[in-house]
Amino acid sequence: MRTKVVPLGLLLAIAAWGGCSSKSYDTVETFPVTGTLQINGVPAQGAEVRFWPKSEQPGLKYPIAPSGRVDATGTYQLTSYEGPDGAPPGDYFVTVAWPDPDWRPPGGGMPPPPPDRLMGKFSKQEKPVLEFTVVEGDNQVEPIILDDVKILKGSKLPAAAN
């Protein structure tokens, strides 16, 4: 009687390939969400706008907090899964953080992860900059305009923002 030996690597590859065909997370339908953000009179390029769900999201085991990065014109589009796919319908708290990748500690040395130029003032769900309801179809968020905001010392911003 002859037995065939199948290389272990081949068995592992087949097992891994089979696992790739199924999703490892739940998804729900999303709808486009766009808006604008200005801080101290200028587009907040590079800022992150995040939408935190106010309550449980139907059809999801784990909550989704869609986010969007502000471009040079001050516009952002939300992403839940990939690309500007938007957000699931529902009520959200909206927060803002503005990482400064160019910031360096005063004494020099290796920089830590980018600090928030806004020093966390607008990034707390308990004190959102606004609340918004995402509905089916296209969603346009009212402009977020933050004036007279103290910016992290040492951050590089356009002259109009200082």
Side-chain angles (χ1 to χ4, degrees):
M1 181 170 181
R2 258 179 127 169
T3 59
K4 276 192 167 180
V5 177
V6 179
L8 180 60
L10 180 60
L11 289 175
L12 291 174
I14 291 170
W17 178 72
C20 291
S21 62
S22 65
K23 292 182 183 175
S24 61
Y25 58 89
D26 298 324
T27 61
V28 294
E29 188 172 12
T30 59
F31 298 94
V33 179
T34 60
T36 60
L37 172 63
Q38 274 193 7
I39 297 176
N40 293 344
V42 298
Q45 183 176 8
E48 181 180 282
V49 179
R50 184 165 301 274
F51 280 47
W52 301 95
K54 286 180 155 184
S55 59
E56 189 173 315
Q57 295 169 308
L60 292 172
K61 187 175 181 180
Y62 302 103
I64 294 177
S67 66
R69 188 149 317 267
V70 178
D71 68 17
T73 68
T75 302
Y76 63 89
Q77 298 177 319
L78 292 188
T79 299
S80 289
Y81 303 110
E82 60 183 66
D85 60 359
D91 297 323
Y92 293 88
F93 296 114
V94 181
T95 62
V96 174
W98 197 4
D100 184 357
D102 297 324
W103 185 85
R104 297 293 179 254
M110 185 67 158
D116 181 4
R117 291 175 173 132
L118 307 173
M119 299 174 282
K121 183 174 182 181
F122 303 102
S123 63
K124 296 176 180 64
Q125 295 176 54
E126 303 80 33
K127 290 187 172 186
V129 295
L130 64 91
E131 297 179 22
F132 188 80
T133 301
V134 174
V135 297
E136 291 185 16
D138 289 343
N139 293 266
Q140 182 66 47
V141 181
E142 64 188 81
I144 301 171
I145 299 173
L146 304 174
D147 288 322
D148 299 320
V149 176
K150 186 176 179 180
I151 303 295
L152 178 69
K153 185 177 180 179
S155 286
K156 295 177 185 174
L157 299 175
N162 288 326

